[in-house]
Amino acid sequence: MPMAKTGARPTLFVSDIHLSAHDAELTELFLSFLAGPARSAASLIILGDLFDAWAGDDDLAAPFNAGIARALRALAESGTDVALMHGNRDFLIGDDFARAAGVTLLPDPSVREIAGQRVLLSHGDGFCTNDLDYQRFRAEIRKPSWKEAFLHKPLSERKQMIAKLRAQSEYEKKKKRAATMDVSLASVCEACCTYRATILVHGHIHRAGRFHHVCHESECTRWVLGAWSSSQGSVLAADDQGWRWLSTSP
Ligand code: MN
């Protein structure tokens, strides 16, 4: 078998696609990305909130969810390594989904060597440490006991609870200041130092950008992935030539 020339193929990063059966155009855009540009990548790293909501892997029975898993699997079988990290919306994605989709679940945070750099990967909500209410809530729902009890409920009840939590969080967001919901620079610097990373890639805050941080003991470039809409996807690429944005439009 001839050796694949993986050296020249980029690593692509996306997050916050927020796929849902109610948004056909967005789904179409993401599926064409998986069938198109993602095929020429060595790996695709999805940094959370692939789905707008995930009630549990038994929801793979829904045709929409099964279709997304199939499309990811087709990409993985075409030779692109696909890694998936949980976001705050889809942290209940489990091993059954990962198997069906042919993806590797990445812990948050994770460090990977990419294009010769130590790169720290995270969804990003863990850096929003100015929002104490949110961090308390996050810690509670990430407990194994909470997850176990939640997943034990019938699927329809779980979906209702998620819709209720969503409405409550939208209401609370309106009352919070933008700075409260942004990442805390102290948390970013602490993470870059702890993991000795020169690059940090995260999503969650839905405002794409590139920042340079001069921290206590090191310097770090932070790439923030943008949220997808039905007309545009935010895609970051890295290879030996450097780091750059790729835009994905229909
Ligand atoms: Mn998020």
Side-chain angles (χ1 to χ4, degrees), residues 16 18 47-49 87-89 123-125 134 203-206:
D16 304 281
H18 292 269
L47 290 178
D49 289 354
N88 51 303
R89 302 291 193 100
H123 178 56
D125 57 326
Y134 175 72
H204 182 66
I205 58 173
H206 294 191

PDB file of all heavy atoms in Angstrom, residues 16 18 47-49 87-89 123-125 134 203-206, ligand 1:
ATOM      1  N   ASP A  16     -18.964  24.928  17.866  1.00  0.00           N
ATOM      2  CA  ASP A  16     -20.194  25.724  17.922  1.00  0.00           C
ATOM      3  C   ASP A  16     -20.993  25.718  16.613  1.00  0.00           C
ATOM      4  O   ASP A  16     -21.412  26.769  16.137  1.00  0.00           O
ATOM      5  CB  ASP A  16     -19.873  27.165  18.378  1.00  0.00           C
ATOM      6  CG  ASP A  16     -19.146  27.170  19.716  1.00  0.00           C
ATOM      7  OD1 ASP A  16     -19.811  27.005  20.739  1.00  0.00           O
ATOM      8  OD2 ASP A  16     -17.896  27.271  19.728  1.00  0.00           O
ATOM      9  N   HIS A  18     -23.737  23.926  16.440  1.00  0.00           N
ATOM     10  CA  HIS A  18     -25.105  23.953  16.986  1.00  0.00           C
ATOM     11  C   HIS A  18     -26.118  23.328  16.028  1.00  0.00           C
ATOM     12  O   HIS A  18     -27.164  23.920  15.748  1.00  0.00           O
ATOM     13  CB  HIS A  18     -25.512  25.386  17.381  1.00  0.00           C
ATOM     14  CG  HIS A  18     -24.741  25.930  18.552  1.00  0.00           C
ATOM     15  ND1 HIS A  18     -25.182  25.786  19.849  1.00  0.00           N
ATOM     16  CD2 HIS A  18     -23.562  26.572  18.632  1.00  0.00           C
ATOM     17  CE1 HIS A  18     -24.289  26.342  20.667  1.00  0.00           C
ATOM     18  NE2 HIS A  18     -23.289  26.813  19.958  1.00  0.00           N
ATOM     19  N   LEU A  47     -14.383  21.210  18.473  1.00  0.00           N
ATOM     20  CA  LEU A  47     -14.199  21.618  19.871  1.00  0.00           C
ATOM     21  C   LEU A  47     -15.509  21.957  20.588  1.00  0.00           C
ATOM     22  O   LEU A  47     -15.605  22.971  21.282  1.00  0.00           O
ATOM     23  CB  LEU A  47     -13.207  22.785  19.949  1.00  0.00           C
ATOM     24  CG  LEU A  47     -11.760  22.394  19.617  1.00  0.00           C
ATOM     25  CD1 LEU A  47     -10.841  23.609  19.674  1.00  0.00           C
ATOM     26  CD2 LEU A  47     -11.252  21.312  20.563  1.00  0.00           C
ATOM     27  N   GLY A  48     -16.492  21.104  20.433  1.00  0.00           N
ATOM     28  CA  GLY A  48     -17.691  21.229  21.256  1.00  0.00           C
ATOM     29  C   GLY A  48     -18.856  21.962  20.630  1.00  0.00           C
ATOM     30  O   GLY A  48     -18.700  22.769  19.720  1.00  0.00           O
ATOM     31  N   ASP A  49     -20.048  21.649  21.145  1.00  0.00           N
ATOM     32  CA  ASP A  49     -21.300  22.197  20.636  1.00  0.00           C
ATOM     33  C   ASP A  49     -21.478  21.908  19.141  1.00  0.00           C
ATOM     34  O   ASP A  49     -21.909  22.769  18.370  1.00  0.00           O
ATOM     35  CB  ASP A  49     -21.453  23.693  20.966  1.00  0.00           C
ATOM     36  CG  ASP A  49     -21.700  23.910  22.459  1.00  0.00           C
ATOM     37  OD1 ASP A  49     -21.860  22.913  23.207  1.00  0.00           O
ATOM     38  OD2 ASP A  49     -21.733  25.074  22.889  1.00  0.00           O
ATOM     39  N   GLY A  87     -19.024  20.106  24.232  1.00  0.00           N
ATOM     40  CA  GLY A  87     -19.314  21.500  24.549  1.00  0.00           C
ATOM     41  C   GLY A  87     -20.305  21.502  25.696  1.00  0.00           C
ATOM     42  O   GLY A  87     -20.680  20.438  26.207  1.00  0.00           O
ATOM     43  N   ASN A  88     -20.759  22.678  26.084  1.00  0.00           N
ATOM     44  CA  ASN A  88     -21.743  22.720  27.178  1.00  0.00           C
ATOM     45  C   ASN A  88     -23.119  22.252  26.712  1.00  0.00           C
ATOM     46  O   ASN A  88     -23.949  21.875  27.523  1.00  0.00           O
ATOM     47  CB  ASN A  88     -21.826  24.128  27.782  1.00  0.00           C
ATOM     48  CG  ASN A  88     -22.036  25.189  26.744  1.00  0.00           C
ATOM     49  OD1 ASN A  88     -21.232  25.301  25.811  1.00  0.00           O
ATOM     50  ND2 ASN A  88     -23.089  25.958  26.858  1.00  0.00           N
ATOM     51  N   ARG A  89     -23.370  22.279  25.387  1.00  0.00           N
ATOM     52  CA  ARG A  89     -24.668  21.852  24.884  1.00  0.00           C
ATOM     53  C   ARG A  89     -24.744  20.342  24.637  1.00  0.00           C
ATOM     54  O   ARG A  89     -25.822  19.779  24.604  1.00  0.00           O
ATOM     55  CB  ARG A  89     -24.988  22.554  23.558  1.00  0.00           C
ATOM     56  CG  ARG A  89     -24.997  24.053  23.603  1.00  0.00           C
ATOM     57  CD  ARG A  89     -26.171  24.559  24.402  1.00  0.00           C
ATOM     58  NE  ARG A  89     -26.356  25.982  24.185  1.00  0.00           N
ATOM     59  CZ  ARG A  89     -27.269  26.486  23.347  1.00  0.00           C
ATOM     60  NH1 ARG A  89     -28.047  25.706  22.648  1.00  0.00           N
ATOM     61  NH2 ARG A  89     -27.385  27.785  23.217  1.00  0.00           N
ATOM     62  N   HIS A 123     -13.137  23.533  24.865  1.00  0.00           N
ATOM     63  CA  HIS A 123     -14.365  24.162  24.363  1.00  0.00           C
ATOM     64  C   HIS A 123     -14.332  25.646  24.714  1.00  0.00           C
ATOM     65  O   HIS A 123     -14.678  26.493  23.907  1.00  0.00           O
ATOM     66  CB  HIS A 123     -15.612  23.499  24.947  1.00  0.00           C
ATOM     67  CG  HIS A 123     -16.870  24.170  24.488  1.00  0.00           C
ATOM     68  ND1 HIS A 123     -17.170  24.313  23.152  1.00  0.00           N
ATOM     69  CD2 HIS A 123     -17.876  24.795  25.164  1.00  0.00           C
ATOM     70  CE1 HIS A 123     -18.316  24.982  23.032  1.00  0.00           C
ATOM     71  NE2 HIS A 123     -18.751  25.290  24.232  1.00  0.00           N
ATOM     72  N   GLY A 124     -13.914  25.958  25.930  1.00  0.00           N
ATOM     73  CA  GLY A 124     -13.745  27.362  26.312  1.00  0.00           C
ATOM     74  C   GLY A 124     -14.621  27.816  27.466  1.00  0.00           C
ATOM     75  O   GLY A 124     -14.312  28.807  28.116  1.00  0.00           O
ATOM     76  N   ASP A 125     -15.722  27.104  27.742  1.00  0.00           N
ATOM     77  CA  ASP A 125     -16.607  27.578  28.818  1.00  0.00           C
ATOM     78  C   ASP A 125     -15.921  27.486  30.181  1.00  0.00           C
ATOM     79  O   ASP A 125     -16.232  28.261  31.083  1.00  0.00           O
ATOM     80  CB  ASP A 125     -17.958  26.851  28.820  1.00  0.00           C
ATOM     81  CG  ASP A 125     -17.841  25.349  28.943  1.00  0.00           C
ATOM     82  OD1 ASP A 125     -16.863  24.783  28.420  1.00  0.00           O
ATOM     83  OD2 ASP A 125     -18.724  24.735  29.570  1.00  0.00           O
ATOM     84  N   TYR A 134     -22.550  30.321  36.487  1.00  0.00           N
ATOM     85  CA  TYR A 134     -22.390  29.332  35.423  1.00  0.00           C
ATOM     86  C   TYR A 134     -21.409  28.236  35.841  1.00  0.00           C
ATOM     87  O   TYR A 134     -21.664  27.051  35.620  1.00  0.00           O
ATOM     88  CB  TYR A 134     -21.918  29.991  34.112  1.00  0.00           C
ATOM     89  CG  TYR A 134     -21.643  28.946  33.060  1.00  0.00           C
ATOM     90  CD1 TYR A 134     -22.694  28.267  32.452  1.00  0.00           C
ATOM     91  CD2 TYR A 134     -20.339  28.578  32.727  1.00  0.00           C
ATOM     92  CE1 TYR A 134     -22.457  27.259  31.531  1.00  0.00           C
ATOM     93  CE2 TYR A 134     -20.091  27.573  31.814  1.00  0.00           C
ATOM     94  CZ  TYR A 134     -21.157  26.922  31.210  1.00  0.00           C
ATOM     95  OH  TYR A 134     -20.910  25.911  30.305  1.00  0.00           O
ATOM     96  N   GLY A 203     -13.581  27.627  21.526  1.00  0.00           N
ATOM     97  CA  GLY A 203     -14.791  28.212  20.951  1.00  0.00           C
ATOM     98  C   GLY A 203     -15.637  28.787  22.070  1.00  0.00           C
ATOM     99  O   GLY A 203     -15.141  29.490  22.938  1.00  0.00           O
ATOM    100  N   HIS A 204     -16.912  28.484  22.045  1.00  0.00           N
ATOM    101  CA  HIS A 204     -17.905  28.796  23.065  1.00  0.00           C
ATOM    102  C   HIS A 204     -18.404  30.238  23.082  1.00  0.00           C
ATOM    103  O   HIS A 204     -19.599  30.470  23.197  1.00  0.00           O
ATOM    104  CB  HIS A 204     -17.424  28.410  24.467  1.00  0.00           C
ATOM    105  CG  HIS A 204     -18.438  28.666  25.528  1.00  0.00           C
ATOM    106  ND1 HIS A 204     -19.631  27.981  25.579  1.00  0.00           N
ATOM    107  CD2 HIS A 204     -18.467  29.552  26.564  1.00  0.00           C
ATOM    108  CE1 HIS A 204     -20.340  28.426  26.615  1.00  0.00           C
ATOM    109  NE2 HIS A 204     -19.660  29.367  27.212  1.00  0.00           N
ATOM    110  N   ILE A 205     -17.508  31.222  22.986  1.00  0.00           N
ATOM    111  CA  ILE A 205     -17.991  32.596  23.160  1.00  0.00           C
ATOM    112  C   ILE A 205     -18.531  33.195  21.850  1.00  0.00           C
ATOM    113  O   ILE A 205     -19.043  34.319  21.847  1.00  0.00           O
ATOM    114  CB  ILE A 205     -16.936  33.525  23.808  1.00  0.00           C
ATOM    115  CG1 ILE A 205     -15.650  33.552  22.976  1.00  0.00           C
ATOM    116  CG2 ILE A 205     -16.626  33.090  25.225  1.00  0.00           C
ATOM    117  CD1 ILE A 205     -14.633  34.567  23.466  1.00  0.00           C
ATOM    118  N   HIS A 206     -18.404  32.426  20.761  1.00  0.00           N
ATOM    119  CA  HIS A 206     -19.037  32.789  19.486  1.00  0.00           C
ATOM    120  C   HIS A 206     -18.494  34.072  18.865  1.00  0.00           C
ATOM    121  O   HIS A 206     -19.187  34.708  18.089  1.00  0.00           O
ATOM    122  CB  HIS A 206     -20.567  32.920  19.632  1.00  0.00           C
ATOM    123  CG  HIS A 206     -21.239  31.618  19.957  1.00  0.00           C
ATOM    124  ND1 HIS A 206     -22.594  31.442  19.910  1.00  0.00           N
ATOM    125  CD2 HIS A 206     -20.737  30.417  20.329  1.00  0.00           C
ATOM    126  CE1 HIS A 206     -22.908  30.202  20.239  1.00  0.00           C
ATOM    127  NE2 HIS A 206     -21.789  29.556  20.518  1.00  0.00           N
TER     128      HIS A 206
HETATM  129 MN    MN B   1     -20.631  26.460  24.165  1.00  0.00          MN
END
